[in-house]
Amino acid sequence: MTRGAETALHAFVEGRRTALFRSAFLLCGNRDEADDLVQTTLVKVVLGARRHGRLDNLEAYARKTLVNTFIAGRRRFWRRERAYGELPDVAAQPTDRDAGLMVRDALAALPPKQRAVLVLRYWEDLGVAATAELLGMRESTVKSHTARGLAALRAAVREEFV
């Protein structure tokens, strides 16, 4: 890899880390997990760029790697289990009725692919065709995931206000 390409790759990583973190946070719903996801993604992007020489669209490659890494991580059995030291006697009452927190909680409850579609469509502002290409699915699948995901989000928000 030439020095100029290496410099451009370094500039990309520095310039896009925050934007990738925002998308990762919406996908994961957890700062630490989002930070790990971004680190893993950037390592894969750098290694991929070095292995393939020059990538035509580094931004699209990074976004696709982020989403694919997130979805793959959700498939692993060990990610589904959560360890707790001690369980509380009673459930904590929700103290924050902020709409953003409600939406993030509802987003976290969606299946990973629906969540990825909604983040790409409405946070990353990608169209149906671009989202379908990025996730490797048909446009009709993207549309159905969008409709089902939005319906689930609306239902969750409605429950909070009732």
Side-chain angles (χ1 to χ4, degrees), residues 33-48:
E33 191 177 344
D35 198 35
D36 290 344
L37 178 60
V38 170
Q39 289 296 330
T40 302
T41 298
L42 289 176
V43 166
K44 289 179 178 182
V45 167
V46 168
L47 292 175

Side-chain angles (χ1 to χ4, degrees), residues 24-63:
F25 181 74
L26 287 174
L27 288 169
C28 300
N30 177 315
R31 284 188 184 280
D32 295 326
E33 191 177 344
D35 198 35
D36 290 344
L37 178 60
V38 170
Q39 289 296 330
T40 302
T41 298
L42 289 176
V43 166
K44 289 179 178 182
V45 167
V46 168
L47 292 175
R50 288 180 178 163
R51 181 180 27 220
H52 299 298
R54 184 178 152 267
L55 295 172
D56 292 333
N57 190 345
L58 202 53
E59 176 69 30
Y61 183 74
R63 189 180 299 132

Side-chain angles (χ1 to χ4, degrees), residues 131-146:
T131 302
E133 182 180 336
L134 190 69
L135 294 175
M137 56 178 65
R138 295 185 317 208
E139 289 184 23
S140 60
T141 305
V142 169
K143 290 176 185 178
S144 66
H145 278 319
T146 301

Side-chain angles (χ1 to χ4, degrees), residues 90-105:
V90 294
Q93 296 297 320
T95 57
D96 190 359
R97 296 277 181 188
D98 183 40
L101 291 174
M102 283 190 307
V103 170
R104 284 196 299 264
D105 288 343

